[in-house]
Amino acid sequence: MDSLLNISTLHYLVLSAALFLLGVIGVLTRRNVVIVLMSIELILNAVNQNLVAFSHHLGKLHGQVFAIFVITDAAAEAAVGLGILIAFFRNKETINVDEVNLMKW
């Protein structure tokens, strides 16, 4: 019974690698901007999980404190990204990445 509850740092790292891989695949393959932003959030959560896992493994709080800063930054990125997305949708009536050529004259 104890072997079922024994979760090591390797388990967290494998889960984090899977989350990171899903996020990268989402960023590279999707055309919807909302899905791309969600994939970026997955990547940031994978990094946070690594920080917390190594922080717990080493017995220090530095990784957990840094993860809180990353979460704060991710929340700000999501708010600004969604604001830009809403403004873009009002002007162009689309949210596909292929049609975002606003910087071209």
Side-chain angles (χ1 to χ4, degrees):
M1 184 73 177
D2 287 336
S3 64
L4 293 176
L5 300 176
N6 189 10
I7 299 174
S8 67
T9 306
L10 180 64
H11 293 94
Y12 290 113
L13 295 179
V14 169
L15 178 63
S16 178
L19 283 175
F20 189 82
L21 183 64
L22 282 173
V24 169
I25 289 171
V27 168
L28 294 177
T29 61
R30 298 297 177 177
R31 295 174 190 247
N32 191 341
V33 178
V34 176
I35 303 296
V36 171
L37 287 175
M38 288 174 30
S39 297
I40 291 171
E41 294 293 326
L42 269 177
I43 291 170
L44 290 174
N45 284 332
V47 171
N48 283 340
Q49 187 166 356
N50 271 338
L51 288 170
V52 171
F54 281 121
S55 174
H56 179 71
H57 180 72
L58 297 174
K60 306 216 180 226
L61 292 177
H62 297 97
Q64 294 175 15
V65 171
F66 193 66
I68 290 173
F69 286 120
V70 173
I71 290 170
T72 306
D73 182 50
E77 174 257 332
V80 171
L82 287 176
I84 292 170
L85 182 66
I86 289 171
F88 183 76
F89 182 74
R90 285 183 181 170
N91 288 335
K92 299 289 184 179
E93 296 181 0
T94 184
I95 54 173
N96 285 337
V97 176
D98 293 339
E99 298 174 16
V100 178
N101 56 4
L102 191 60
M103 297 299 284
K104 294 181 182 177
W105 289 92

